[in-house]
Amino acid sequence: MELVVLLILIFPLTGFLINGIFGRWTKPLAGVVASAAIVSSFIMALAVASGYNSLPFDHIYYSWISSAGFSVPFGLRIDSLSLTMLLVVTGVSSLVHIYSIGYMHNDEGYSRYFAFLNLFVLSMIILILADNYLLMFVGWEGVGFCSYILIGHWYKNPAPPKAGIKAFVVNRIGDAGFIIGLLFIFTHFGSLNYTAIFNNTSTLSVSLATVITLFLFVGAVGKSAQFPLYVWLPDAMEGPTPVSALIHAATMVTAGVYMVARSHILYSMSPISSEVVASIGALTAFFAATMALTHTDLKRVLAYSTVSQLGYMFIGVGVGAYWAGIFHLMTHAFFKGLLFLAAGSVMHAMDGLLDMRKMGGLIKKMPHTAVVFIIGALAISGIPPLSGFFSKDTILAEALKLNHPIIWFVGVVTAFMTAFYMFRLIFLTFFGKSRVPDEYHPHESPAVMVTPMWILAALSIAGGLVGLETAHGIPMKNFLSSTLGFPPAAVVETNDNLLMIISVLMGIGGIFLAWLMYIAKPSLPAKLANSVKVLYSGCKNLWWVDQIYNFLFVKPLWWVSHNFLWKVVDVKLIDASVDDVGFLSAFTGKTFRLLQNGFINSYVTWASLGVVVMLGWVIYSGGIR
Amino acid sequence: MIGSTEYIILLLILLAIGTIGVIIRRNFIIILMSLEIMLNAASGLFVVGSGITGNMSGQLFFLFAAAVAAAETAVGLAIAIVIYRKKGSVETDKFESLRR
């Protein structure tokens, strides 16, 4: 077992090293090597899953850091929570790797791309399997770094590196909070090990638990792109689309949700923190959905949709239904990964074009992509029996049952908007009259790209069935609750069937509205935009959040850096002091150079004077002894 | 009665004259002559010292110094001749090429 678990890490590491070091020579094979590494990892994960009766598994491989009073082992832990994450991550990664072989086949940085994709998977696995917070933080930073590198993959264009830096800097803000949270944990518990912390919570006061969990949540807000730190995720779409699918939809951005679920014992101690988590989740879900309503960039709509769906997950973990959050995380990985891969397929066909206004009627040109896209969209819209229905409905039902009616209401409205913008996207892209400019020749993608999409489509359809009520309860809930504990008993009596019907009606209503506006009466959107101008321009301009951040943070920082740090500190202090040292030596040199005038007589004069001075000194000090 | 003090004073005056000659004169030959005066003053001090202590090696040392001085003067004069051929002068003001 120890070896198998370690192999899960070793395969991606080997892939990274092979492609990273020998990439120049293995170039045509880079994709195959990387995919083989991840698929092997996935198989190992399946082997671990097959022996899940022996869970939880916790093994310390070696002592990583050990000094007086502080020791951190390199220990891996597998329980039902990390096993779920592990299967999702390695499974979706395998599919995305295979898809990338087709998507990136002509790319200059082919082997570099696969090397970092493997490194990303390695970091993600470390994040998931770590048995202490510090090792988790290593993975946490590793995925952030790989995300930065992969967003800026096409570094020769100006936008991708900028987007990468933005992602990195915004994440940094969150990470600072995360580190502070870890320091609080360490000062109280004297350890960062999960079991050591969670078994000793009786000594923790509620206020300290609140402080710790809020700081940890700052980290989650940055990594999982929640309000107010979500701004990096839409820009991250500058990266290659498989990267968006893997890192910015299915895995990395869900790390925050995982972390909150992992710390569920601390969060459930602090009602305030849980309330904050759920509220931020609801707020983000709603606002991100409004931003997705009017966007015309295919990938950015999906990005805002991801932000919105992550909000749902935080609602889940915030109200105390941790398993529901993780359940939605899993189904979201399937359908959002699928949607991104399908969007990538469209982009591939359209030579990188992403503007939906220039698409339309693509279903005839690329039937497979269109069908899987519709499957993904139905899943995210919560149409039964697709996976999104189960997970989203569970989260909303739990929110209402645990007495959060406002959050439930916001979630339901967001579900309506989700269905609307997803089908707006579909109708604009795949249906109606073709608005494709003549120079583009859309075509279906190769089998290496279509196959992974179909597998994900199958998972999007069937993945929710583990959330189906059976005689022994809900299998997914039972499985996860062995780690996360069962959610508290319902506070509010609800009619489950009614809730379900409301959810489904919201999804169908959104789809119908999209159909009405973009297929039946195409003149309607413009009219509507005119009648609610303020709302429309708010959505259209993404509520000016980027501009506000620019005005509040970027501009002042830039001003201070330019006028104070550069013009004063750098030029007047640092440069000037260095210049003065140079000037001083030049000046002394110039002065003493005058002695060296080339006249023998003056040399002799100075030499004699020297002798006189020395003799004088000797005599004055009492002769030579 | 002339004692060793007077000798020493005389020789120090001689040394000073030599030194001042080296410093203020510009003619290479004169400088060489002034150097000889300094050297002889110093050697004379050895002889005086020998007289005071009764140790003969001071006088012996003078003989060696005189021989070396003769060789040194020969070399110095040879240099003076070479310089004269190069520059057409033995004035030390003209020897300033090291400055550039």
Side-chain angles (χ1 to χ4, degrees):
Chain A
M1 189 79 166
E2 284 95 34
L3 183 68
V4 176
V5 174
L6 197 61
L7 277 177
I8 299 174
L9 271 76
I10 285 176
F11 280 122
L13 179 65
T14 318
F16 165 65
L17 291 177
I18 291 176
N19 282 332
I21 297 171
F22 307 110
R24 189 174 302 194
W25 300 283
T26 59
K27 198 166 184 180
L29 286 173
V32 179
V33 170
S35 305
I38 303 301
V39 171
S40 316
S41 223
F42 179 55
I43 293 169
M44 290 303 139
L46 285 178
V48 171
S50 71
Y52 86 96
N53 283 329
S54 60
L55 294 182
F57 161 91
D58 201 333
H59 184 73
I60 291 170
Y61 287 87
Y62 68 95
S63 175
W64 173 34
I65 298 173
S66 88
S67 74
F70 181 64
S71 73
V72 180
F74 182 85
L76 301 179
R77 180 183 173 82
I78 294 185
D79 48 27
S80 58
L81 172 62
S82 49
L83 183 62
T84 311
M85 287 292 287
L86 181 66
L87 288 172
V88 170
V89 167
T90 50
V92 175
S93 300
S94 306
L95 295 172
V96 170
H97 272 73
I98 294 167
Y99 175 93
S100 297
I101 296 176
Y103 189 82
M104 301 295 284
H105 68 101
N106 273 336
D107 198 79
E108 253 184 274
Y110 191 64
S111 43
R112 174 166 51 94
Y113 170 84
F114 277 105
F116 281 113
L117 214 54
N118 273 4
L119 185 64
F120 166 78
V121 177
L122 173 70
S123 312
M124 193 68 206
I125 294 172
I126 291 177
L127 194 162
I128 294 164
L129 295 187
D131 78 339
N132 58 69
Y133 277 108
L134 199 65
L135 193 57
M136 181 207 243
F137 188 64
V138 170
W140 186 276
E141 290 297 306
V143 291
F145 166 74
C146 294
S147 157
Y148 157 75
I149 286 276
L150 288 165
I151 293 169
H153 179 72
W154 290 312
Y155 60 88
K156 285 176 184 163
N157 304 341
K162 265 191 187 166
I165 290 167
K166 185 171 177 181
F168 202 79
V169 169
V170 174
N171 265 301
R172 204 87 257 119
I173 300 169
D175 294 348
F178 192 66
I179 295 174
I180 295 171
L182 295 194
L183 291 177
F184 270 112
I185 290 178
F186 182 74
T187 45
H188 184 78
F189 292 102
S191 167
L192 289 169
N193 198 286
Y194 295 150
T195 35
I197 294 166
F198 299 150
N199 290 340
N200 290 312
T201 45
S202 51
T203 60
L204 192 65
S205 67
V206 173
S207 51
L208 186 56
T210 307
V211 171
I212 289 173
T213 46
L214 283 180
F215 273 116
L216 290 181
F217 185 58
V218 172
V221 164
K223 187 64 70 189
S224 293
Q226 294 296 290
F227 187 83
L229 296 180
Y230 68 89
V231 286
W232 64 272
L233 188 64
D235 283 18
M237 296 302 122
E238 295 290 345
T241 310
V243 169
S244 312
L246 179 60
I247 301 183
H248 305 121
T251 55
M252 183 189 86
V253 287
T254 61
V257 183
Y258 168 75
M259 193 271 291
V260 173
R262 178 53 84 193
S263 323
H264 66 100
I265 293 180
L266 301 178
Y267 277 92
S268 50
M269 280 182 71
S270 163
I272 299 173
S273 298
S274 296
E275 198 65 43
V276 168
V277 172
S279 311
I280 292 276
L283 184 72
T284 312
F286 181 77
F287 268 102
T290 61
M291 292 175 195
L293 288 177
T294 53
H295 227 297
T296 53
D297 181 311
L298 190 61
K299 274 178 79 181
R300 284 186 196 228
V301 171
L302 292 178
Y304 282 111
S305 163
T306 306
V307 175
S308 171
Q309 296 298 311
L310 287 165
Y312 273 111
M313 297 175 210
F314 278 110
I315 293 177
V317 295
V319 298
Y322 296 99
W323 78 274
I326 297 297
F327 183 30
H328 194 55
L329 187 162
M330 183 186 87
T331 57
H332 177 258
F334 297 150
F335 59 68
K336 188 51 69 60
L338 169 65
L339 287 170
F340 265 111
L341 291 189
S345 178
V346 172
M347 202 177 158
H348 193 64
M350 301 290 285
D351 286 332
L353 191 74
L354 278 171
D355 193 337
M356 286 188 265
R357 287 167 299 190
K358 292 185 182 150
M359 295 180 186
L362 285 179
I363 192 166
K364 290 177 209 111
K365 299 275 174 49
M366 31 199 335
H368 286 289
T369 306
V371 171
V372 295
F373 206 111
I374 292 167
I375 292 173
L378 285 172
I380 197 176
S381 307
I383 304 297
L386 281 79
S387 58
F389 164 73
F390 292 99
S391 53
K392 189 188 281 186
D393 193 54
T394 311
I395 288 178
L396 292 178
E398 291 284 355
L400 193 58
K401 279 178 192 163
L402 297 169
N403 201 11
H404 294 84
I406 299 170
I407 287 173
W408 172 81
F409 182 71
V410 171
V412 169
V413 174
T414 307
F416 175 75
M417 291 196 286
T418 309
F420 172 74
Y421 67 67
M422 282 321 294
F423 276 84
R424 166 179 176 269
L425 194 157
I426 284 178
F427 291 137
L428 281 175
T429 310
F430 295 108
F431 293 94
K433 237 172 57 212
S434 173
R435 296 177 301 277
V436 180
D438 289 337
E439 65 267 29
Y440 294 103
H441 304 286
H443 52 86
E444 185 56 272
S445 300
V448 71
M449 288 165 69
V450 172
T451 317
M453 291 198 289
W454 271 111
I455 298 173
L456 276 176
L459 286 169
S460 303
I461 294 170
L465 295 179
V466 291
L468 207 59
E469 188 91 40
T470 66
H472 307 286
I474 302 168
M476 187 73 184
K477 184 178 179 179
N478 293 341
F479 180 61
L480 281 172
S481 296
S482 65
T483 306
L484 295 173
F486 284 92
V491 186
V492 181
E493 278 301 309
T494 54
N495 184 339
D496 285 354
N497 292 332
L498 184 67
L499 288 183
M500 219 176 277
I501 289 167
I502 291 174
S503 292
V504 175
L505 279 182
M506 284 297 160
I508 294 174
I511 296 171
F512 176 72
L513 186 64
W515 175 81
L516 194 68
M517 281 173 72
Y518 294 96
I519 297 289
K521 285 188 179 146
S523 59
L524 207 55
K527 262 190 226 157
L528 200 63
N530 271 331
S531 59
V532 281
K533 240 184 181 132
V534 181
L535 282 178
Y536 176 75
S537 66
C539 295
K540 186 85 194 162
N541 294 304
L542 313 170
W543 303 107
W544 301 278
V545 170
D546 269 328
Q547 283 85 339
I548 292 170
Y549 284 1
N550 244 342
F551 181 74
L552 282 183
F553 303 110
V554 181
K555 282 270 162 60
L557 265 181
W558 193 89
W559 191 89
V560 170
S561 306
H562 184 88
N563 289 329
F564 179 68
L565 293 179
W566 175 34
K567 295 250 165 108
V568 177
V569 174
D570 199 38
V571 172
K572 297 220 169 110
L573 238 66
I574 297 172
D575 283 6
S577 63
V578 174
D579 283 353
D580 283 351
V581 169
F583 176 77
L584 190 69
S585 39
F587 174 77
T588 13
K590 249 182 213 159
T591 314
F592 282 98
R593 199 183 73 93
L594 296 177
L595 289 175
Q596 209 85 356
N597 57 6
F599 296 117
I600 294 168
N601 308 76
S602 79
Y603 297 160
V604 175
T605 313
W606 289 112
S608 317
L609 276 177
V611 169
V612 168
V613 167
M614 278 191 277
L615 265 181
W617 173 252
V618 168
I619 290 163
Y620 175 77
S621 64
I624 303 162
R625 267 183 289 264
Chain B
M1 171 66 192
I2 295 174
S4 47
T5 314
E6 284 75 16
Y7 282 121
I8 290 173
I9 289 169
L10 170 71
L11 289 168
L12 285 180
I13 290 169
L14 214 53
L15 184 75
I17 289 169
T19 312
I20 290 164
V22 169
I23 289 171
I24 63 172
R25 298 307 295 259
R26 294 282 186 267
N27 191 313
F28 192 73
I29 311 284
I30 304 287
I31 288 173
L32 270 181
M33 288 163 66
S34 305
L35 266 177
E36 284 307 309
I37 292 171
M38 286 169 76
L39 196 63
N40 280 310
S43 306
L45 280 170
F46 276 108
V47 178
V48 174
S50 169
I52 291 169
T53 59
N55 186 338
M56 292 304 286
S57 50
Q59 299 190 26
L60 196 65
F61 203 92
F62 171 74
L63 285 177
F64 280 113
V68 171
E72 176 237 305
T73 312
V75 173
L77 284 173
I79 290 172
I81 288 164
V82 172
I83 286 174
Y84 184 76
R85 283 192 189 151
K86 278 236 183 265
K87 307 258 177 188
S89 156
V90 287
E91 300 293 304
T92 51
D93 317 32
K94 304 283 189 306
F95 315 157
E96 52 175 6
S97 50
L98 272 183
R99 198 175 156 195
R100 274 172 256 134

